[in-house]
Amino acid sequence: MKNTLHFKINGMHCVTCAIRVQKAIASVEGVKRAQVNFVNEKADIEVDFPTPQLIKNILTAIDQEGYEAKPYQSQSAPESHHHMDHSPPNYMDVVIAIIFTLPLVAHMLGIYVAPTLQLVCASIVQFWAGRRFYKASWGSLKRLTANMDLLVVLGTSAAYGYSFVDVLLHRNDLYFEASAIVITLVLIGRLLEERAKRSANAAVRSLMKLTPPTALVEKDGVYVEVQSHDLKKGDHIMVRAWQRIPIDGVIFKGTTEVDESMITGESVPVFKEEGDKVIGGTTNTSGVLYVEATAVGNHSTLSRMIQLVEEAQSSRPPIQKFVDQVSAIFVPIVLLISIATFGGWLVVGPGFQQALLSAISVLVIACPCALGLATPTAIVVAMGEAARKGLLIRDLESLEVLRKVDQVVFDKTGTLTKGEFSLTFSKSFSETPLDQLLLLAASLQKGSEHPLAKAFLKATRGQMLLEVKDFLSLPGKGIQGKMNGALYSLGSEMLMTELGIEVPPVRKAEQTTIYLAEEGHLLGVFYLADMPRRRAWETLQALKRMGLKTVMLTGDRKETAQLIGEKVGIDDVIAQLQPKDKIKYVKAQEQRHHIVAMVGDGVNDAPALAAAMVGFAMGSGTDVAMDAAPITLMRPALNLIPQAFTLSKKTFRIIQENLFWAFIFNIVGIGYAALGHLSPELAGAAMAASSLLVVTNSLRLKWG
């Protein structure tokens, strides 16, 4: 079992900050692995064994890097997540910066402002509104490292310092507006980034808010209101109409329809009655419901969903490794370019002022915000959107590989089909009405968990079943029992033959046929079939339009498999396979350089799901389904699969766009600044605009 600690980290402003914090945490003795996410401002730390001293050492390591951190329980009940949301942006520093920058802008536009007043205004902006940059830079310098705050501090301090000396010497070459405008624009840019990041995390925050804060729980025969996080397994809870269900549980009294749209993405309410399971966070839409808690806190479906989404958002896809490597050396390279620019202009340029302004512009324009935001913002939005649709993606490597898949392999039972038999047709060969025949057949199977029995019991739901005596099970053939003094037999054609009963030639090859007889006389016949899932045909056609080959692997008979394959429109059908044969097929295809995605029910297909490059587990939020494959369909809707392919392609297209524009922006911007074509003010505005552009581009995943 993994021991994982979770920390909230404040003060990170770029991906280089996250890399520094991650390295510092990883260096602490007892830490096995650390993952720091800049957008989420969180760290997931795998340790040998969590102790108070280890937590203290981790906090110290983060503090020494110049950042604030506090531990929190990621795997607690969803309601405990509320306070872990992003803290509100610091508007006051932005307001102060704008107010005291305005006089400097006015002077730049030709309105006279006394040098002393300019000094006062610039000092407030530089050392009060911009104090965060100095604090972060000082921490960076103490460890002989560099971050983007250092670029801001060096650039603005140079302009401020030069102007300060000019005021003392009563000269008029003042550049206070350059330093103040840059700080103001960077603060505004970060404020906009923060708002955009909050928007990117909206889907996860929506999940966090689903659990009601209180619940009505039975205490000594009376239902009293308690905090939801105090609920325990086995508690009896009352849920009134249009209230959210606080926990995962089983209904022991009441019938209703439950809106599960925020968990599964399915908009149509689901009928629930005694014995049915309910998911915490869903809404009871009618009547009073009484539920016994089966999973609370970190064991609930909702908590598992939040945990998986957060883990996926915090992980890094392979494409991010390259960005991290570039970001780690980016700031030192920029410092060298800035120094070279300053020296070059001193040698060949018009003088010290041009050299200083060009060097400052290089430092400001090169802040790697856009580069750091390019991948994580797109990932955060994509994971949130996937969860909103009903897709849980456990690792980003699978999401990245998915866009390269060229073959999708499906299991049949429980995947392309519902995995449960339905009564499709019945016929009477006697005077007994069909509804009475159905009641007799269902009564014989009362209490059975056999898939065929469930179909009969479902068809007679709500009816009073008959008492059965002298029950006898005939494995592979059927069952017998006495009702109202008569002996009834229910089973296959083989059983009827053994009883000397002749059956008419009316069997449908693609369906299972069950016969009912009374004292040696045939009463009727029932046809049952495992029907294709809703939208199976549309899903297969959508995958084909994407250029993907579709294959069905099943252990069922070839004739039955072919008929299902024709109904769903699959390309190829391979039947009568053992689980090991499915693995062999997947591996054989990958040896032929095909990239295979496997879709199964998450239980009996687990080996093949693991063998495939990408695995989809069908499920309804169960633990087995979540753990079986890197991608879980939270509701049994096959149309989510092409949506996953589309999301993968869109996500990595947007990441590539973000990286392209971030790199182009920095390369072109640094070149322009070094050549003296970019003032510090314009450099600051362009830097802020580039970050906002990257975040906004990532939000297209949410809007489109």
Side-chain angles (χ1 to χ4, degrees), residues 341-527:
T341 299
F342 182 76
W345 277 103
L346 281 180
V347 173
V348 302
F352 179 81
Q353 292 179 5
Q354 181 64 51
L356 178 64
L357 291 177
S358 297
I360 292 171
S361 297
V362 168
L363 293 174
V364 173
I365 195 67
C367 291
C369 286
L371 188 61
L373 289 167
T375 301
T377 51
I379 293 302
V380 166
V381 176
M383 294 301 99
E385 282 305 285
R388 187 181 64 82
K389 292 176 183 292
L391 282 163
L392 277 185
I393 301 173
R394 297 176 62 191
D395 70 85
L396 295 179
E397 188 169 354
S398 293
L399 184 66
E400 184 166 353
V401 171
L402 193 60
R403 65 196 173 103
K404 303 174 184 177
V405 166
D406 59 4
Q407 188 173 137
V408 186
V409 176
F410 291 85
D411 172 51
K412 182 182 77 71
T413 306
T415 303
L416 286 173
T417 65
K418 295 178 181 178
E420 58 182 39
F421 284 87
S422 299
L423 192 62
T424 60
F425 182 74
S426 56
K427 184 176 181 179
S428 176
F429 297 114
S430 65
E431 300 289 332
T432 309
L434 282 174
D435 57 348
Q436 184 64 24
L437 291 180
L438 184 59
L439 183 62
L440 289 168
S443 297
L444 277 173
Q445 300 176 97
K446 180 171 57 178
S448 174
E449 289 298 318
H450 192 281
L452 295 177
K454 289 181 179 180
F456 285 98
L457 295 168
K458 184 178 179 181
T460 57
R461 177 177 284 178
Q463 296 186 45
M464 184 69 69
L465 300 179
L466 304 175
E467 183 181 357
V468 180
K469 296 181 179 179
D470 300 332
F471 178 83
L472 179 64
S473 176
L474 305 168
K477 300 175 185 177
I479 55 178
Q480 289 181 327
K482 287 185 177 180
M483 292 178 287
N484 298 325
L487 179 65
Y488 290 88
S489 303
L490 182 72
S492 65
E493 183 178 355
M494 183 188 300
L495 176 60
M496 296 299 112
T497 301
E498 289 184 3
L499 295 174
I501 300 172
E502 184 178 351
V503 297
V506 293
R507 180 176 176 180
K508 297 183 179 180
E510 76 272 20
Q511 301 194 34
T512 300
T513 311
I514 301 293
Y515 299 92
L516 177 66
E518 177 188 9
E519 301 289 357
H521 299 287
L522 185 64
L523 293 180
V525 62
F526 304 95
Y527 298 106

Side-chain angles (χ1 to χ4, degrees), residues 124-397:
I124 293 172
V125 175
Q126 190 76 28
F127 301 112
W128 177 256
R131 66 192 182 282
R132 66 177 70 180
F133 303 118
Y134 284 93
K135 180 181 179 181
S137 297
W138 176 243
S140 177
L141 286 173
K142 284 193 298 184
R143 282 163 296 283
L144 300 177
T145 58
N147 61 8
M148 71 156 286
D149 291 309
L150 183 61
L151 299 181
V152 175
V153 165
L154 290 176
T156 58
S157 296
Y160 175 87
Y162 177 81
S163 302
F164 178 76
V165 172
D166 273 7
V167 170
L168 295 181
L169 298 176
H170 303 288
R171 295 203 300 248
N172 294 323
D173 295 329
L174 306 181
Y175 296 98
F176 285 126
E177 73 279 358
S179 61
I181 290 173
V182 167
I183 287 177
T184 301
L185 289 172
V186 172
L187 288 173
I188 292 173
R190 288 188 178 176
L191 180 65
L192 295 174
E193 286 174 16
E194 184 65 28
R195 289 174 62 89
K197 286 192 290 183
R198 288 171 62 83
S199 178
N201 273 311
V204 176
R205 292 201 307 277
S206 296
L207 290 175
M208 292 177 181
K209 295 174 182 177
L210 287 181
T211 300
T214 61
L216 293 172
V217 63
E218 184 185 15
K219 301 285 186 182
D220 300 323
V222 179
Y223 284 91
V224 297
E225 190 172 46
V226 301
Q227 295 295 312
S228 292
H229 56 73
D230 290 331
L231 294 174
K232 298 178 179 62
K233 186 177 179 180
D235 280 347
H236 285 184
I237 296 143
M238 180 172 69
V239 185
R240 296 192 178 102
W242 294 107
Q243 287 185 340
R244 290 197 182 275
I245 299 170
I247 40 74
D248 290 3
V250 176
I251 299 172
F252 66 87
K253 184 180 177 182
T255 59
T256 187
E257 288 187 333
V258 176
D259 180 359
E260 299 182 340
S261 58
M262 282 301 292
I263 301 293
T264 67
E266 180 58 60
S267 58
V268 179
V270 181
F271 176 78
K272 301 283 185 178
E273 62 179 359
E274 184 177 333
D276 287 341
K277 296 179 180 179
V278 291
I279 304 172
T282 58
T283 303
N284 173 28
T285 63
S286 62
V288 178
L289 212 54
Y290 296 88
V291 180
E292 181 178 339
T294 58
V296 297
N298 62 309
H299 300 291
S300 69
T301 297
L302 187 56
S303 286
R304 292 289 309 277
M305 283 183 66
I306 294 170
Q307 178 192 348
L308 288 173
V309 173
E310 286 184 335
E311 286 177 356
Q313 288 179 335
S314 296
S315 63
R316 285 190 171 97
I319 196 172
Q320 179 66 16
K321 295 177 182 178
F322 169 70
V323 180
D324 291 349
Q325 292 170 352
V326 172
S327 298
I329 61 172
F330 188 81
V331 174
I333 290 175
V334 169
L335 290 174
L336 292 175
I337 293 174
S338 180
I339 293 171
T341 299
F342 182 76
W345 277 103
L346 281 180
V347 173
V348 302
F352 179 81
Q353 292 179 5
Q354 181 64 51
L356 178 64
L357 291 177
S358 297
I360 292 171
S361 297
V362 168
L363 293 174
V364 173
I365 195 67
C367 291
C369 286
L371 188 61
L373 289 167
T375 301
T377 51
I379 293 302
V380 166
V381 176
M383 294 301 99
E385 282 305 285
R388 187 181 64 82
K389 292 176 183 292
L391 282 163
L392 277 185
I393 301 173
R394 297 176 62 191
D395 70 85
L396 295 179
E397 188 169 354

Side-chain angles (χ1 to χ4, degrees), residues 41 127 617 702:
E41 299 179 347
F127 301 112
K702 181 178 179 180

